[in-house]
Every structure is written in structure tokens, then in C-alpha cells.
Amino acid sequence: MRQRNSSMEGPDGSQLFEDTSGAGPRTQSGYRNQQTEPQQAGFAGQSLLSDPMSNLAMAYGSSLASQGKEMVDKNLDRFIPISKLKYYFAVDTVYVGKKLGLLVFPYMHNNWEVSYQQDTPVAPRFDVNAPDLYIPAMSFITYVLVAGVALGTQNRFSPELLGVQASSALVWLIMEVLAVLLSLYLVTVNTDLTTIDLLAFSGYKYVGMIVGLVAGLLFGRPAYYLSLLWCCAAIFVFTIRTLRLKLLSEAAAEGKLVRGTRNQLRMYLTMSIAAAQPIFMYWLTYHLIR
């Protein structure tokens, strides 16, 4: 036994193998320490979130965000009146049908005055005489699509040419509205017409342009001329009867035309705006039918 024990010990009296019988509890205790560290970190995070200073900082940050949103909305509404745009898109199917019929057959319509409720015009879906932006916007998009079909039937379609067609129509529309605004400023007309109203009235001509293009694509060039002539006369009558009450509000209030240089200028301006609609209708469609 002494020899065996002496053989297992080194020459310096140390053991050849390390005794690991006591390593198990130490390993388990280390593992337990590792488990408790995340828990302690979680408790520390919870205590940090429950800190009154952190809650105050979060409340201050949310108040800053709400103030920034209000500032952005106020500045955006200054340049783009979102609240007013909602009024011009307050339409329904019945209104759209009646308005399209009025744009194509305005001759039998008698009452052209816009209805008011507490000094505020009613929504377009309740009054067919109220201007809207839904029909002009949809008509412009439809006009671009029909123009693409017309170019395709002539083997002239290309994305670049369609883009030129759409951009040119939009530029002419903007120039028309700017010219009317400048004319109103020079004539010094006191009217409740806004830029959006002028944009709506100028955009109604796309309905007649679509009718003319579709008739030309289906039945040829003579049908295009006949239908476009009818729609040009209709939009001329519609524009005069609509803008007459807007530009000649003083005379309309008295029930008769007030003679004077200023009222004559207003009448000439109304006639010029109405006469410009058929010109634009022909200019933007004649090259699409061959």
C-alpha cells in the first residue's frame, strides 16, 4: 500500500490527478449566479422605468411630439388647405351622375345658385351647383388614359409621349387658372371665388374632351367633330351661367345688370373664360384623332 501510494505521488509528493469531487457544487453555484444576474438587471430596468424622472421625460417627449405635429399641420394647411379640399371631394354617386348630365345638357337647368347653410356653402353631394374637384380629377386621369388608347390605335404610343400629353394638359390648366386670377386682380372683382373653385371650373372641360375622343375612336373623325361641338357649346353655357353669379354678384343681388365700366369688364371677363374652354378642348384633342 505504501508503494502503491508512493507510486501515485510524484517525486515532489504531489498527486498526478487533480481531485474534482468538490467541483460540482462550485459549478452549480456559478450557474445560479449567472441566472440571478439577468434577474437583477431586469429589476434594475423596472426600477428605472418606474422612476418619476423617466416618466416625466416620456411625458415631455410626447408633448413635444404633439406640438410638432400641430405646427406641421398648421403650416401645411396654410399652403395646402386640407380642410377645404375635403369639402370639394364630399360627393356621392347621385351627385356625380347629376353633375355629368348638367355638364353635357345644361340648357334645361334653371336654378344655378349655390345653396348655403349658415353662411357656409353646403357640400357638393347636397347641391349639384356646388363646385367639386372629384369630377375634374377623375376626368383628367381618364383623359390621359383615353389619349393613350388613341395613340395606341395609331401605333404612336410610348410612355414618353403619354407623359408629354399629360404634362402639357396640366401646364395649360395651371396657366389658365393663373391667367384668370391675374384678370380678376386687374379688374378688381369682389367675389368669393377661390383658386380651388377656378381649378374645378377649368377642369370640367375634360368631360367634353373625353366624350369627343371616345366618339372619334368609335365612329371616326366626323363623330369626333359633332360630339366635341356639342360639348363645347355645353361647357360654354355652363361656364357663363355659373360664373355670372360669381363675378356679377352685385348685379345678381339686385336682380338686374348694373350698368358701368366695371360691370362691363366683368361681363367681358366671364365671356372670355367661357370662350377659352372650347379652344382648350379642341387644342388638346384634335391631334389624337386621325
Side-chain angles (χ1 to χ4, degrees), residues 21 24 41 55 61-63 66 74 77 130 149 170 207 250 257-258 288:
S21 60
N55 294 332
S62 61
S63 64
S66 61
K74 184 183 297 183
D77 189 71
V149 174
L170 184 60
V207 175
E250 298 177 358
L257 292 178
V258 180
L288 297 174

Side-chain angles (χ1 to χ4, degrees), residues 123-166:
R125 63 174 176 267
F126 301 117
D127 186 13
V128 71
N129 296 323
D132 71 286
L133 285 179
Y134 176 80
I135 292 178
M138 295 296 103
S139 300
F140 179 82
I141 296 174
T142 307
Y143 160 72
V144 175
L145 296 177
V146 175
V149 174
L151 293 174
T153 56
Q154 302 169 14
N155 296 325
R156 296 190 298 144
F157 177 80
S158 65
E160 293 80 9
L161 188 57
L162 186 62
V164 170
Q165 188 71 26

Side-chain angles (χ1 to χ4, degrees), residues 219-256:
F219 305 106
R221 199 170 184 85
Y224 160 75
Y225 282 114
L226 290 176
S227 58
L228 187 66
L229 181 62
W230 176 273
C231 293
C232 287
I235 199 65
F236 181 81
V237 174
F238 173 84
T239 305
I240 285 185
R241 293 186 177 179
T242 303
L243 295 182
R244 182 176 60 87
L245 299 177
K246 297 289 185 179
L247 300 182
L248 299 175
S249 57
E250 298 177 358
E254 296 182 5
K256 61 180 181 179

Side-chain angles (χ1 to χ4, degrees), residues 209 221 224-225 228 232 277-287:
M209 294 164 59
R221 199 170 184 85
Y224 160 75
Y225 282 114
L228 187 66
C232 287
Q277 306 306 312
I279 297 175
F280 283 114
M281 292 171 65
Y282 178 74
W283 176 258
L284 295 174
T285 56
Y286 79 97
H287 60 282

Side-chain angles (χ1 to χ4, degrees), residues 185-196:
Y185 175 76
L186 295 177
V187 179
T188 63
V189 177
N190 295 323
T191 178
D192 57 351
L193 276 175
T194 62
T195 306
I196 304 178

Side-chain angles (χ1 to χ4, degrees), residues 13 27 36 43 52 55 66 75 88 96 105 108 110-111 143 160 165 198 205 207-208 211 236-237 247 251:
T27 304
T36 56
F43 292 147
N55 294 332
S66 61
N75 294 329
Y88 289 94
V96 173
F105 301 98
M108 304 302 295
N110 296 322
N111 184 16
Y143 160 72
E160 293 80 9
Q165 188 71 26
L198 295 177
K205 62 177 172 287
V207 175
V211 173
F236 181 81
V237 174
L247 300 182

